[in-house]
Amino acid sequence: ASPTPFHAVEECKRRLVGAGFQLLTEDGEWKIQAGKKYFFHRNYSTLFAFSVGAKYEPGNGLHIVGAHTDSPCLKVKPKSAVSKEGFHQVGVETYGGGIWHTWMDRDLTIAGRVIVEDSGQLKHRLVHVKRPILRVPTLAIHLDRTVNEACKINSETQLVPVIATHVKQALQEPSSSSANPLLSELLANELGCGVSDIRDYELYLADTVPACLGGLKEEFVFSPRLDNLCSSFCSLQALIDSASSEFLASSQNIQMIALFDHEEVGSQSNQGAGSNMIEHVLDRICKVFNQNGCNQIPEITYRKSFLISADMAHAVHPNYSEKHEANHKPKLHAGPVIKMNSNQRYATNTVTSFLLKELARRNNVPFQDVIVRNDSPCGSTIGPMLSARGLRTIDIGNPQLSMHSIREMCGADDFDHLVALLKCYFQQFGALDDSLKVDQ
């Protein structure tokens, strides 16, 4: 699993280029053509990719899957050098709503991006240290006999990882400089540059244990950041699989994935789903294909388009089954979960739900429904905020356990189920959508 949103975009980019997608830049002119495939990224942490049907005409709809590249984590503070009781530590900031005690006693490393000066040129470089370098040790039970009664952590003072000791690392006392000497030296070694060449960085902590198959029958996936890299991967794979020359030759629509950053902290950023990014993208595509046509094409396109908001769902937990509504208990291996909430925490409605269920039925893809208990809080996704921009939307996601832990788990079969559903969506939804008209 990619350790940061930057690495997720890098991997998406590699796969898209390999599949024949062409890179666009937002600060350049878009010369896109029917029958071709394109992608672009913003901040190297949000990525859009799309294929244009050869028979696409201005005003036809876009079939979009939205997901996100970020996950709850610990991020290195700008001034991160900490020295205490003979230990060198790294100051960190919590990002999102993580289960922070799961980060303790783990073999941690760092990953992120670094701004490097090379022969007078400033360059953006990614880094991922593969060996364990950090740890947040727990307090021994002998010093806190109540530790098993309640697990409460002060995220400012008790989540500070250890990186070295004074005995082994002779360093000056931390100064007011933003640079952390230990990290700067480590990054320089990883990147093959001098410490003085490092101008700035944005670093995330990550577990060093890779994703793997688990369970007696290897039926589970144990991995960090399944929420929401599972959905990002499945949407990417479905788009690539669907964009064959044969399909594009007959397609009248545009198939798109939108993988946003910052969902875990509210999406209100330049590269988050709460920005006007998706509106600008749709408007820009409309302008390219509608040079001299009707000036209402953007509005028509919006109303003919459809969005699947793909974000992981809570599978029923065998030890806490009472947390689920009695008739809505999603199970691993049983297919994607369609999320409903009367208070609009999810954007699904009767029409959008029916259309996707019918698509799944026609293609023998299993699916499940979920609502939360009336006495339980309900999370949310990018679905409602994108739906509010005029896009018909449904919220779905693969079921998983341990959401927002440093290590999560889901069913291996559900990857195939979601890819199959999204591929059918890209290739078949247009005809199904035409068969049901509500506002006419």
Side-chain angles (χ1 to χ4, degrees):
S2 298
T4 74
F6 311 125
H7 290 81
V9 167
E10 177 90 345
E11 179 62 18
C12 289
K13 182 176 181 178
R14 183 186 70 81
R15 291 174 183 247
L16 288 165
V17 170
F21 285 70
Q22 301 174 44
L23 176 64
L24 302 170
T25 60
E26 288 192 275
D27 58 1
E29 183 181 2
W30 284 12
K31 297 180 180 179
I32 57 181
Q33 301 174 347
K36 303 293 184 179
K37 303 177 287 188
Y38 305 92
F39 74 99
F40 72 92
H41 41 73
R42 179 183 288 186
N43 190 53
Y44 221 72
S45 60
T46 288
L47 178 138
F48 278 57
F50 57 96
S51 61
V52 185
K55 296 184 178 181
Y56 176 78
E57 295 181 357
N60 288 2
L62 283 75
H63 301 151
I64 309 167
V65 179
H68 64 90
T69 60
D70 63 319
S71 303
C73 66
L74 300 177
K75 296 186 67 175
V76 175
K77 291 180 177 179
K79 295 183 178 181
S80 62
V82 177
S83 182
K84 191 173 183 180
E85 303 298 340
F87 288 96
H88 291 294
Q89 296 176 279
V90 177
V92 295
E93 181 180 17
T94 56
Y95 175 90
I99 305 177
W100 301 122
H101 71 80
T102 65
W103 287 73
M104 306 184 83
D105 291 334
R106 304 291 304 188
D107 298 336
L108 303 174
T109 188
I110 59 169
R113 68 171 167 191
V114 184
I115 306 300
V116 177
E117 185 172 1
D118 183 7
S119 302
Q121 299 291 319
L122 294 174
K123 297 182 178 179
H124 155 104
R125 302 270 305 272
L126 299 190
V127 65
H128 181 195
V129 181
K130 299 296 180 69
R131 62 186 177 89
I133 58 170
L134 296 159
R135 193 174 179 91
V136 183
T138 53
L139 183 65
I141 193 170
H142 313 81
L143 303 178
D144 181 7
R145 293 291 183 180
T146 66
V147 66
N148 289 323
E149 298 173 14
C151 187
K152 294 182 179 180
I153 297 173
N154 185 307
S155 59
E156 176 65 23
T157 62
Q158 296 173 338
L159 272 180
V160 187
V162 169
I163 193 171
T165 63
H166 292 187
V167 174
K168 290 290 184 179
Q169 186 73 38
L171 289 174
Q172 296 179 349
E173 288 298 311
S175 68
S176 60
S177 168
S178 63
N180 184 320
L182 286 169
L183 290 183
S184 296
E185 181 180 355
L186 175 66
L187 294 174
N189 291 335
E190 287 291 319
L191 296 172
C193 67
V195 172
S196 61
D197 297 327
I198 296 175
R199 303 299 298 276
D200 211 341
Y201 47 71
E202 182 176 354
L203 300 176
Y204 298 65
L205 270 62
D207 192 2
T208 55
V209 180
C212 64
L213 293 175
L216 183 63
K217 303 294 185 180
E218 293 194 330
E219 62 182 290
F220 305 125
V221 175
F222 301 149
S223 174
R225 297 175 293 282
L226 286 172
D227 176 23
N228 192 33
L229 291 184
C230 172
S231 303
S232 295
F233 167 77
C234 291
S235 60
L236 174 71
Q237 194 61 50
L239 179 66
I240 291 174
D241 289 350
S242 70
S244 64
S245 299
E246 294 78 11
F247 168 69
L248 291 182
S250 61
S251 174
Q252 300 177 10
N253 299 100
I254 292 176
Q255 298 71 228
M256 176 181 286
I257 61 172
L259 311 182
F260 292 99
D261 193 5
H262 292 159
E263 188 274 344
E264 295 292 356
V265 292
S267 297
Q268 300 301 314
S269 71
N270 179 57
Q271 59 268 19
S275 70
N276 57 7
M277 191 173 181
I278 200 163
E279 296 163 274
H280 280 190
V281 172
L282 268 63
D283 288 346
R284 196 165 189 175
I285 291 173
C286 288
K287 289 177 181 177
V288 171
F289 285 100
N290 187 46
Q291 298 289 344
N292 301 302
C294 171
N295 60 9
Q296 297 179 31
I297 287 299
E299 290 80 5
I300 295 172
T301 300
Y302 268 80
R303 293 311 303 153
K304 287 187 177 180
S305 297
F306 194 95
L307 173 83
I308 293 178
S309 167
D311 204 347
M312 300 297 279
H314 298 291
V316 62
H317 194 303
N319 300 338
Y320 303 92
S321 60
E322 72 279 1
K323 295 293 185 180
H324 277 76
E325 201 279 334
N327 294 319
H328 298 84
K329 296 182 177 182
K331 295 178 172 56
L332 302 184
H333 312 305
V337 178
I338 296 175
K339 306 176 183 180
M340 298 281 293
N341 182 260
S342 296
N343 297 302
Q344 297 303 296
R345 298 291 290 172
Y346 301 128
T348 308
N349 63 31
T350 305
V351 176
T352 60
S353 176
F354 166 77
L355 287 170
L356 198 67
K357 288 178 179 179
E358 182 63 17
L359 186 69
R361 292 187 192 102
R362 293 183 182 186
N363 291 278
N364 297 314
V365 178
F367 62 87
Q368 309 175 74
D369 294 294
V370 72
I371 61 170
V372 299
R373 291 168 53 103
N374 288 323
D375 57 358
S376 175
C378 180
S380 191
T381 68
I382 62 174
M385 67 182 67
L386 295 178
S387 175
R389 284 166 167 73
L391 291 169
R392 294 175 297 154
T393 303
I394 183 171
D395 271 297
I396 71 169
N398 270 356
Q400 72 160 98
L401 295 171
S402 303
M403 188 180 290
H404 288 194
S405 170
I406 193 172
R407 298 282 293 182
E408 302 171 329
M409 68 178 288
C410 67
D413 292 345
D414 288 322
F415 279 82
D416 293 335
H417 293 150
L418 185 55
V419 171
L421 180 61
L422 297 181
K423 182 179 178 181
C424 294
Y425 166 68
F426 286 136
Q427 293 188 331
Q428 302 173 24
F429 186 78
L432 174 61
D433 193 26
D434 288 341
S435 69
L436 177 63
K437 299 298 182 183
V438 176
D439 294 313
Q440 289 186 357

